Amino acid sequence: MNSMIDQAPTGRFFSFDNSYARLPESFYVRLSPTPVKNPQLIQLNDSLAHELNLEPKDFLTTEGTEILAGNRIANGSEPLAMAYAGHQFGNFVPQLGDGRAILLGEVLDRNGRRRDIQLKGSGPTPYSRRGDGRSAIGPVLREYLISEAMAALGVPTTRALAAVTTGELVWRDIPLPSAILTRTAASHIRIGTFQFFAARGDKEMIKILADYAIDRHYPEVKEAANPYRCFLDCLIQRQAKLVAQWLHIGFIHGVMNTDNTSIAGETIDYGPCAFMDTYHPATVFSSIDRQGRYSYANQPVIAKWNLMRLAEALLPLLANDTAKAINEAQEALDTFNSRFESANTLGLLNKIGLPNGSDEDLTLAQDLLKRMADQKADFTLTFRRLCDLADSADDQKGDTSARSLFANPLAFDDWAMKWRKRLSEDNIDPAMRREAMSRVNPSFIPRNHLVEEAITAAIESEDFSVFKALLGVLTKPFDVCPKCNRYTKPPLPDQVVHQTFCGT
Ligand code: AMP
Ligand code: MG
C-alpha cells in the first residue's frame, strides 16, 4: 500500500479507508449531507455490495437506509465535496466542484482496489451555485439503469450501489419527487480536477494531485524515467479504448465536458446520455447540445480535445523547459488517433465475426454501417441478428429478420452476400463464430423509451416494479431470453425519445 493512505477505523456498514481526505485542504470542502424527510430504499445492488466487501443485510435496515440518504454518517466516513474546474461545451469554468454530491469515503473491494463511495443528490455544498444540491428521481433511476447496463456490457464505468427516495419534492419545471444515488467509482478525479489547480497556477498542488492519481490508478508508471508523461500516455490509451467501446454499443455520453472525464478512465456522470435506436453517426440527444459537439461520431474527437486540456494542465510536470514539455504533450496526444483506430477496428471486426480481419474486412464493416445509416436500421438489433446468420453460411432463408430492419432490404442482401463470401473463406467454426459474436453484440440495451417508461411509473404511481424488471434484463445483456423479447424492440413511432435532459 502506498504511503499516502492511512487506515481509517472500520465500521459496521463500510470499512472506510480514506485517502482523498488526507490531501491538502484546497482539494475539497468538508461537510455532511443534508438530512431528508422520509428516506425509503428503492434498490440495493447486492452483487456490487458483495464485490465491495459490504454486507447487503446491513443496508436493508432503517439505519442502513438513513446512511444511504445522508441522514446518518457511517463510522469512519469523512464526508467532503471535491473541488474541480472544467470546460463545459468548450468554455472554461474555473470553479465547478461537487454541487450536489458528497464523497463519504473510500473502501477496498475484494480485489484490493480502492473505490469511492459517493452520495449524489445529497444537498447543497459551497459549490452548488444556484442549484439546490438535490436530484429528481428521474436522473437517479436513469443513472442507475444506464451505469449498471454499461458495467454488464463490459464498459469501464462508475456503478450504482443504491437508490433511495427522500420523501421530499424538488422544483424543476414542475415539482418532482427527489432521490439520492449511492455511486461508486475507481475515483472521482476528473480532468477538471487538474484544471482547477492549473487555472490557479498552483504547480505544487498539480504535482500532489498527479502523484496521488498515479499511486491510485497507474502505479506501474512510477518507475518510468518520466512518470508524468507515462501517466498521460496511459490515460490516453484508456480514453481511446473507452470511447471505442461506447461506439460499439451505440452509446452517446451527451456531456463530455472535461469535468465529466474521469482520470481513472471510467464512464462518469450520466446526464443526458442515451443509446441510439436507429443508427446514424450524427445522432445527438442532449437538449443543450445544439451544435452537435457531443454527437455519437464526434466522441473520439472530443475525447482527444479533453485530453489536450489535461496535457496543458500537466505541462509544468512534463519537463522543466516549456518547449520540451509541449513536445512531450504533443507526442503523447499524437498517439490518440492510432490508439482509437486500433481499438475501433478490433471492436468492429469482432462485431461482424471477423476478429482476424484485414483492412478489406474493416471496409466491409464500415460499408454495413453506411447502409444502416442510409436505411435507418436499428443499431443493436442489426448486429444481434447478424449473430444468428453467422452459422448458416450458405442459407439465405434465415436473413429475413436482419434484412427487415433496413428500409430497403435489398441494401442488406447486397452486403450480406459479400459478408457470407468472406465468412466462407475464414477458418472459424461457424457455431463458435456465432457464440463469439453473441458475446459482443448485446440483445438488451437501456433503450430510451424503456428507461422513460420505468421513470414514469416511479413518478406517477410510485411503482418501481417497471424499473426493477428492466434492471434485471439489463444486467444480462448478452443472454438469450425469449420471454424478454419486449425489451429488445425498438420504440414504436409514438415512443421515440428525441431529446434527453441534463441530470439535475
Ligand atoms: P454535470 O451536469 O454533472 O456536469 O454538473 C455540472 C456542475 O453543476 C457540477 O459542478 C454539479 O455539481 C453542478 N450541479 C448540477 N446540478 C446541480 C444541482 N441540482 N445543485 C447544485 N449543483 C448542481
Ligand atoms: Mg458532472
Side-chain angles (χ1 to χ4, degrees), residues 84 88 96-101 120 127-135 172 255 257 259-260 269 502-504:
Y84 52 84
Q88 301 192 304
L96 289 165
D98 289 334
R100 57 172 156 173
K120 191 168 172 184
Y127 306 119
S128 298
R129 291 169 294 167
R130 282 188 297 275
D132 58 6
R134 293 294 180 195
S135 188
R172 297 301 178 246
V255 249
N257 294 333
D259 55 305
N260 294 335
D269 278 3
C502 247
T504 53

Side-chain angles (χ1 to χ4, degrees), residues 45-271:
N45 190 336
D46 274 21
S47 69
L48 179 60
H50 181 76
E51 200 179 309
L52 296 176
N53 259 321
L54 310 177
E55 182 52 72
K57 277 204 306 290
D58 286 350
F59 292 92
L60 301 175
T61 60
T62 307
E63 215 183 335
T65 302
E66 284 172 355
I67 285 172
L68 299 171
N71 285 20
R72 185 187 283 264
I73 301 298
N75 243 356
S77 171
E78 294 172 273
L80 58 87
M82 291 167 70
Y84 52 84
H87 274 91
Q88 301 192 304
F89 289 88
N91 303 309
F92 186 63
V93 184
Q95 182 164 309
L96 289 165
D98 289 334
R100 57 172 156 173
I102 286 180
L103 177 69
L104 295 182
E106 298 145 36
V107 297
L108 299 179
D109 71 14
R110 281 187 187 265
N111 298 315
R113 286 182 309 163
R114 182 169 294 277
R115 311 270 282 263
D116 276 2
I117 309 286
Q118 190 204 59
L119 296 185
K120 191 168 172 184
S122 50
T125 77
Y127 306 119
S128 298
R129 291 169 294 167
R130 282 188 297 275
D132 58 6
R134 293 294 180 195
S135 188
I137 195 165
V140 167
L141 297 183
R142 208 180 155 73
E143 174 156 349
Y144 200 123
L145 290 168
I146 300 185
S147 64
E148 286 307 299
M150 293 286 269
L153 288 162
V155 182
T157 177
T158 62
R159 303 283 307 268
L161 178 63
V164 295
T165 52
T166 62
E168 296 179 3
L169 296 176
V170 286
W171 284 86
R172 297 301 178 246
D173 288 335
I174 49 168
L176 289 167
S178 77
I180 299 172
L181 181 77
T182 306
R183 173 160 88 172
T184 72
S187 84
H188 284 84
I189 308 171
R190 305 140 190 277
I191 289 183
T193 319
F194 282 90
Q195 291 180 293
F196 178 83
F197 295 112
R200 286 155 183 78
D202 198 336
K203 185 177 165 185
E204 191 194 342
M205 294 302 141
I206 299 173
K207 184 172 182 317
I208 291 174
L209 179 61
D211 289 340
Y212 177 85
I214 287 173
D215 260 345
R216 190 160 170 179
H217 301 302
Y218 305 93
E220 67 279 12
V221 310
K222 277 196 273 190
E223 307 308 322
N226 186 345
Y228 304 111
R229 163 67 197 272
C230 285
F231 163 54
L232 183 59
D233 286 334
C234 287
L235 182 58
I236 288 172
Q237 174 60 27
R238 282 196 201 176
Q239 284 287 335
K241 187 164 173 226
L242 180 69
V243 173
Q245 283 183 283
W246 289 356
L247 298 193
H248 298 145
I249 50 170
F251 176 76
I252 302 170
H253 182 284
V255 249
M256 286 178 73
N257 294 333
T258 56
D259 55 305
N260 294 335
T261 305
S262 155
I263 292 295
E266 290 181 332
T267 314
I268 192 169
D269 278 3
Y270 294 87

Side-chain angles (χ1 to χ4, degrees), residues 235-490:
L235 182 58
I236 288 172
Q237 174 60 27
R238 282 196 201 176
Q239 284 287 335
K241 187 164 173 226
L242 180 69
V243 173
Q245 283 183 283
W246 289 356
L247 298 193
H248 298 145
I249 50 170
F251 176 76
I252 302 170
H253 182 284
V255 249
M256 286 178 73
N257 294 333
T258 56
D259 55 305
N260 294 335
T261 305
S262 155
I263 292 295
E266 290 181 332
T267 314
I268 192 169
D269 278 3
Y270 294 87
C273 59
F275 281 70
M276 269 189 302
D277 295 303
T278 303
Y279 174 70
H280 199 286
T283 307
V284 177
F285 284 104
S286 169
S287 61
I288 52 172
D289 188 4
R290 297 204 181 84
Q291 320 283 321
R293 178 179 171 91
Y294 300 144
S295 69
Y296 171 81
N298 212 34
Q299 297 184 112
V301 177
I302 294 294
K304 184 174 176 184
W305 191 91
N306 289 345
L307 288 161
M308 282 181 205
R309 306 290 80 81
L310 175 66
E312 282 165 5
L314 289 177
L315 281 179
L317 305 183
L318 290 174
N320 286 330
D321 173 276
T322 308
K324 270 204 199 116
I326 292 174
N327 196 40
E328 294 283 348
Q330 198 57 57
E331 264 180 34
L333 291 164
D334 284 346
T335 66
F336 179 88
N337 290 1
S338 61
R339 290 176 197 266
F340 167 74
E341 286 309 335
S342 52
N344 190 38
T345 300
L346 186 65
L348 273 179
L349 291 173
N350 282 332
K351 282 183 87 67
I352 63 164
L354 292 166
N356 307 314
S358 61
D359 286 352
E360 262 173 58
D361 296 325
L362 176 63
T363 308
L364 186 67
Q366 284 162 341
D367 182 28
L368 175 63
L369 288 174
K370 182 169 183 318
R371 287 163 195 253
M372 286 164 63
D374 292 345
Q375 302 299 326
K376 302 190 170 22
D378 184 84
F379 183 82
T380 307
L381 275 183
T382 302
F383 284 107
R384 184 68 182 187
R385 290 185 182 174
L386 268 192
C387 308
D388 297 335
L389 310 186
D391 65 355
S392 57
D394 299 316
D395 167 20
Q396 287 175 29
K397 287 198 288 289
D399 283 5
T400 327
S401 64
R403 72 193 294 277
S404 67
L405 298 169
F406 290 66
N408 176 2
L410 296 175
F412 177 77
D413 295 343
D414 184 44
W415 182 84
M417 218 162 65
K418 290 189 268 179
W419 180 58
R420 284 178 193 291
K421 179 166 177 302
R422 180 60 192 85
L423 293 190
S424 69
E425 292 160 10
D426 223 28
N427 254 343
I428 302 179
D429 170 60
M432 279 176 67
R433 175 186 285 120
R434 176 190 185 149
E435 161 65 20
M437 284 175 73
S438 307
R439 273 184 275 114
V440 294
N441 292 312
S443 259
F444 307 109
I445 51 148
R447 291 186 184 267
N448 289 310
H449 67 291
L450 298 174
V451 173
E452 288 306 318
E453 186 183 79
I455 293 171
T456 304
I459 294 177
E460 289 182 358
S461 36
E462 288 179 54
D463 172 8
F464 295 105
S465 65
V466 185
F467 163 81
K468 287 170 192 268
L470 177 58
L471 181 62
V473 171
L474 294 177
T475 49
K476 298 186 185 103
F478 301 107
D479 271 20
V480 175
C481 174
K483 72 174 196 304
C484 312
N485 206 17
R486 160 180 143 67
Y487 295 97
T488 65
K489 298 219 166 85

